[in-house]
Amino acid sequence: MQGLNPEQQAAVTHLGSPLLVLAGAGSGKTRVITQKIAWMIRKGVHSADQIAAITFTNKAAREMRERASQLLTKEEAKGLTVSTFHTLGLNIIKREAKRLGYKNNFSILDAQDSAAILKELAHKEDVEEAENLRWIISRWKNDFISVEQATLQANTTDEKLAAILYEKYQRQIKAYNAVDFDDLIVLPVRLFEQHPDALQFWQNKLRYLLIDEYQDTNACQYRFIRLLSGIRGALTAVGDDDQSIYAWRGARPENIAQLQKDYPMLKVVKLEQNYRSTARILQSANKLIGNNPHLFEKNLWSTLGEGDPIRIMPCRNPEHEAEKVVSEILKARFRDRAAFKDFAILYRGNHQSRLFEKLLRENNITYKISGGTSFFERAEVKDILAYLRLIANPDDDAAFLRIINTPKREIGTSTLEKLGEYAHERHTSLFNAAQELGFAQRISAKATQRIETFCFWLHELIRAADSADPTKIVQQVITDIGYDDWMKNTCNTPKQAEARMKNVWEIVDWVRKLHDDGAGKETLSDIIAHMSLVDMLERNSEEKEQDAVSLMTLHGAKGLEFPSVFLIGMEEELLPHANSVDEHSIQEERRLAYVGITRAQKNLTISYAKTRSRYGEASIVEPSRFLDELPPEHLEWEDKKVITPEQRQETARAYVSNLQALLGD
């Protein structure tokens, strides 16, 4: 308990009824969760294998696991579950696959696979744009709305179309022996509701739950937790309704209020002491978020001193804004000898980063962008993983379609169309259908030969995968298909081909690592399921920290902190975004601004442009309404600032002494 404040101690030691920990920004919530795990194990309340800590990202789960392992011995931590919702869901489906009507080697479809299947289904219904319909179906799944319910409650044209596609999509992916990302929560909930004995098994296995980022749960995840924690309600939920910024992903901050209705014995502990920011930053954040309605009031405070005022920097246009921000970074680097990694530039939309990237490059300032293309979204990674998915699950039609002509095998689209029709008639997978005599009779002798060659080769690999080291299988695939040569022939430059092959070899290294970590027991199927869930970018973020300015969206900045933050584009129609005019969305935009402000430890600068180009024309823009909601006594407006001769002299002195120090280095 050493080093915990009284509220943190109360949260750690509370047992006997459900607990909600309202953890303000920077109030040490991960510490509370990990200390509570250690406390319960040491007190003999629960053994590690009866406890599950559940969060949303692999990165958060990894950090929690590392912190817990620092507090516990290897023996004490044995069997502890620290995972994301989706990984826990996957483990449940793996154990209960048969009962759910799946074969053990089921595949997990990523967003691109789902989009491709829906696009194909939409095309058959003469629908051109399927992306919006995919979001509707995903929202229904997050709300635990079945195909039948969706059909009954669909009102708009889009919803009615989505309901038709939802039914066909579910039928199709089931035939592929595949599940999508949303199903990883939907299926365990359905299992628990329909099979009381399965629910009882998992309730006995996981006797205490700790849920991180509770405000980000959707309706289906809430149901999942409720079922798993049972009547006893043996759970600690940790969250902050002021940091709920994922409504577009189905998150429901009202789940915090729902807890109180479902568990009348709920105890609430507030963590209001912030260990990150100065008083001025916190008081400004409190004032801003005070404009949102609250079920539980909380007021962040800190003992880190008053700190500098928040600087408000009006700029002529976006170019001027980028120039001023970059100039401020260089000035601080020179004046205060600050490291580049101390700075973050936060924005509402990805498009805002381009001007800053250009100027940072021109000034030789190293920077890194978070939230770029995920490793798994790269074509070469998807290609190799599709081969492995098909070897692990020959019924995976999405994988079959991706690789059949990658690299080119001269199997034409008309052959594939006939294959699709034949497989549909026979109610079997494309791979099975491709090997049937009935299909061979429908296509030319040349096409039959090409298909047979491909299927024979794949069969050999499937057989080998049963006993061979998964690493050897991956290496054999890459060699057999001549992927390296294909890259050299299809990439624009040799350098690009080399970079893409580097990603391919990274998959090989990763398969090797997973196989070694599992003491050689992990099958190719296990490894593929694991890979489908892990974002490699997060894994790479463990690497040595670079001295680089961070550029990221406000959504991407959640959970992070920096000594100096530039919150840019604080304008009407940018923050708050033009699409959030109704009251409910304005509240979410205010929470986004609040998240941005509370990332700053010492210095916060908020900038906005007075004119911005829209549809090719420069328009005058209004500063964000959120600036009016900040306490004026904590703001320093750049265009209203008066600099005294003494201050100017002091700045000059600092420059000279730092210049001497730099030269001395």
Side-chain angles (χ1 to χ4, degrees):
M1 292 294 157
Q2 244 181 339
L4 295 182
N5 66 38
E7 290 74 26
Q8 289 173 329
Q9 283 189 32
V12 166
T13 55
H14 177 79
L15 288 170
S17 72
L19 171 69
L20 169 64
V21 180
L22 274 177
S27 62
K29 67 181 177 69
T30 307
R31 191 173 184 198
V32 165
I33 293 171
T34 50
Q35 290 275 8
K36 183 156 192 162
I37 291 169
W39 184 81
M40 285 194 292
I41 293 168
R42 295 253 163 89
K43 288 280 175 191
V45 179
H46 291 292
S47 57
D49 60 356
Q50 296 175 327
I51 300 170
I54 309 168
T55 186
F56 280 84
T57 66
N58 300 311
K59 192 177 171 202
R62 190 172 55 243
E63 187 192 339
M64 217 178 274
R65 204 176 293 116
E66 280 165 6
R67 293 235 210 144
S69 66
Q70 285 162 11
L71 295 170
L72 296 161
T73 65
K74 214 168 186 177
E75 195 50 44
E76 286 172 327
K78 205 173 170 189
L80 176 68
T81 299
V82 181
S83 80
T84 63
F85 272 97
H86 293 92
T87 305
L88 180 59
L90 171 67
N91 292 338
I92 293 168
I93 297 168
K94 264 185 182 172
R95 189 185 182 276
E96 313 284 353
K98 205 170 178 185
R99 213 185 317 218
L100 285 161
Y102 290 87
K103 289 186 284 231
N104 281 333
N105 58 346
F106 61 88
S107 301
I108 301 167
L109 303 176
D110 67 11
Q112 281 180 318
D113 295 327
S114 298
I117 293 166
L118 272 166
K119 197 175 175 183
E120 190 56 43
L121 291 169
H123 185 64
K124 286 177 185 166
E125 297 290 322
D126 287 330
V127 177
E128 284 308 306
E129 190 43 66
E131 187 58 20
N132 183 38
L133 305 179
R134 185 166 74 89
W135 278 103
I136 295 172
I137 292 168
S138 180
R139 195 181 70 228
W140 280 333
K141 287 190 173 195
N142 288 335
D143 288 343
F144 199 66
I145 290 168
S146 66
V147 169
E148 297 74 26
Q149 290 166 316
T151 309
L152 288 172
Q153 67 182 55
N155 288 322
T156 65
T157 311
D158 271 6
E159 282 177 353
K160 284 173 182 166
L161 259 173
I164 294 166
L165 290 183
Y166 186 9
E167 193 265 332
K168 294 185 178 212
Y169 170 74
Q170 283 306 114
R171 216 171 47 215
Q172 188 137 341
I173 68 170
K174 187 79 199 298
Y176 293 173
N177 193 35
V179 297
D180 67 16
F181 200 59
D182 297 323
D183 289 332
L184 294 175
I185 311 294
V186 172
L187 289 171
V189 172
R190 193 172 297 150
L191 172 88
F192 291 162
E193 291 191 345
Q194 292 172 1
H195 299 277
D197 55 329
L199 175 60
Q200 197 177 359
F201 170 84
W202 284 96
Q203 282 178 344
N204 286 334
K205 183 173 166 57
L206 303 174
R207 301 184 71 84
Y208 200 90
L209 305 180
L210 299 106
I211 320 295
D212 186 25
E213 303 287 10
Y214 192 76
Q215 74 284 348
D216 292 340
T217 54
N218 60 38
C220 197
Q221 286 159 338
Y222 183 86
R223 212 163 173 147
F224 179 61
I225 294 158
R226 184 106 204 273
L227 285 159
L228 209 45
S229 61
I231 303 161
R232 293 175 304 124
L235 82 141
T236 291
V238 182
D240 180 5
D241 47 350
D242 289 334
Q243 294 189 72
S244 179
I245 54 174
Y246 294 112
W248 51 279
R249 236 168 38 187
R252 294 188 167 189
E254 58 268 30
N255 282 350
I256 287 181
Q258 191 62 39
L259 262 183
Q260 219 171 23
K261 291 177 193 156
D262 290 338
Y263 298 106
M265 300 290 287
L266 182 77
K267 180 175 169 66
V268 179
V269 171
K270 296 180 194 177
L271 303 184
E272 295 171 298
Q273 183 174 355
N274 171 289
Y275 293 91
R276 176 189 296 157
S277 310
T278 60
R280 275 184 142 148
I281 290 169
L282 291 180
Q283 284 163 27
S284 302
N286 287 338
K287 182 93 190 319
L288 173 77
I289 207 67
N291 290 284
N292 275 1
H294 287 86
L295 180 70
F296 304 100
E297 293 299 328
K298 66 178 186 309
N299 202 34
L300 294 184
W301 58 276
S302 123
T303 55
L304 301 174
E306 188 180 42
D308 294 333
I310 294 171
R311 292 183 58 201
I312 311 293
M313 210 160 67
C315 308
R316 290 191 302 277
N317 52 35
E319 290 75 16
H320 185 222
E321 182 180 41
E323 282 164 21
K324 289 186 82 162
V325 168
V326 171
S327 146
E328 287 297 319
I329 291 172
L330 283 168
K331 217 185 286 178
R333 169 89 165 178
F334 191 59
R335 187 185 58 222
D336 311 323
R337 305 190 75 183
F340 286 139
K341 67 177 181 207
D342 292 344
F343 299 95
I345 300 171
L346 310 182
Y347 36 79
R348 178 66 177 83
N350 278 312
H351 65 279
Q352 289 170 264
S353 73
R354 288 181 205 126
L355 284 170
F356 290 86
E357 288 181 69
K358 180 172 173 283
L359 274 175
L360 290 165
R361 275 198 303 270
E362 285 170 6
N363 284 281
N364 295 319
I365 297 174
T366 45
Y367 67 91
K368 58 179 182 186
I369 289 205
S370 304
T373 309
S374 152
F375 186 87
F376 281 119
E377 283 164 12
R378 298 174 195 277
E380 62 276 16
V381 174
K382 289 180 77 70
D383 288 345
I384 302 304
L385 287 185
Y387 273 100
L388 302 185
R389 276 170 41 192
L390 193 59
I391 293 164
N393 170 17
D395 293 335
D396 190 334
D397 283 2
F400 182 93
L401 288 171
R402 181 172 186 100
I403 64 159
I404 187 75
N405 270 322
T406 307
K408 293 276 179 272
R409 290 189 180 87
E410 292 177 1
I411 295 166
T413 49
S414 65
T415 303
L416 291 175
E417 213 167 292
K418 285 173 188 163
L419 177 60
E421 284 164 11
Y422 182 79
H424 190 67
E425 285 166 26
R426 301 275 297 140
H427 300 291
T428 188
S429 70
L430 295 172
F431 182 55
N432 279 340
Q435 299 165 77
E436 290 191 5
L437 191 62
F439 172 61
Q441 289 166 351
R442 295 189 185 187
I443 55 173
S444 69
K446 210 176 237 180
T448 303
Q449 192 194 346
R450 286 173 185 147
I451 291 264
E452 276 177 358
T453 305
F454 172 70
C455 290
F456 178 77
W457 171 75
L458 204 57
H459 252 302
E460 292 297 297
L461 279 169
I462 291 165
R463 200 163 39 243
D466 278 342
S467 53
D469 178 339
T471 317
K472 289 198 167 64
I473 298 292
V474 194
Q475 287 168 328
Q476 193 183 334
V477 166
I478 296 163
T479 309
D480 286 359
I481 63 175
Y483 201 76
D484 198 352
D485 289 336
W486 192 61
M487 281 285 111
K488 285 172 186 162
N489 295 331
T490 52
C491 287
N492 298 328
T493 63
K495 202 172 178 183
Q496 190 190 16
E498 195 183 317
R500 290 178 72 176
M501 278 312 292
K502 197 174 159 203
N503 292 332
V504 169
W505 295 121
E506 194 166 335
I507 297 171
V508 179
D509 291 342
W510 200 23
V511 169
R512 185 182 292 114
K513 185 179 182 299
L514 287 173
H515 187 60
D516 292 348
D517 287 354
K521 291 190 192 119
E522 297 264 301
T523 64
L524 186 65
S525 184
D526 292 333
I527 286 169
I528 293 306
H530 183 91
M531 280 183 157
S532 300
L533 273 189
V534 176
D535 184 356
M536 227 155 176
L537 274 185
E538 291 181 351
R539 193 175 62 86
N540 286 345
S541 68
E542 287 178 278
E543 288 167 14
K544 191 172 158 284
E545 192 183 28
Q546 325 161 242
D547 185 24
V549 175
S550 292
L551 272 69
M552 64 185 76
T553 63
L554 289 162
H555 285 101
K558 192 156 160 282
L560 302 176
E561 55 186 41
F562 303 91
S564 296
V565 166
F566 291 90
L567 182 46
I568 66 163
M570 187 66 101
E571 301 148 28
E572 286 294 306
E573 300 199 6
L574 251 186
L575 185 64
H577 196 272
N579 297 342
S580 32
V581 283
D582 68 74
E583 192 47 44
H584 191 70
S585 298
I586 279 290
Q587 288 172 23
E588 175 128 345
E589 293 292 302
R590 192 177 280 115
R591 292 195 287 267
L592 259 182
Y594 173 83
V595 165
I597 290 169
T598 52
R599 297 312 94 199
Q601 293 170 299
K602 292 179 184 167
N603 303 303
L604 174 63
T605 303
I606 298 174
S607 64
Y608 66 89
K610 294 175 180 174
T611 62
R612 202 170 276 274
S613 182
R614 293 220 173 100
Y615 315 111
E617 278 184 31
S619 319
I620 293 171
V621 288
E622 290 289 311
S624 170
R625 68 190 76 185
F626 299 148
L627 287 172
D628 295 331
E629 295 178 3
L630 297 173
E633 66 273 20
H634 294 319
L635 308 182
E636 182 180 272
W637 289 76
E638 203 185 61
D639 51 356
K640 297 171 191 165
K641 188 179 167 190
V642 179
I643 298 170
T644 64
E646 290 81 12
Q647 285 171 318
R648 199 171 281 123
Q649 220 169 356
E650 184 52 45
T651 306
R653 263 202 297 273
Y655 269 122
V656 171
S657 65
N658 269 309
L659 185 58
Q660 285 167 338
L662 283 167
L663 291 169
D665 289 351

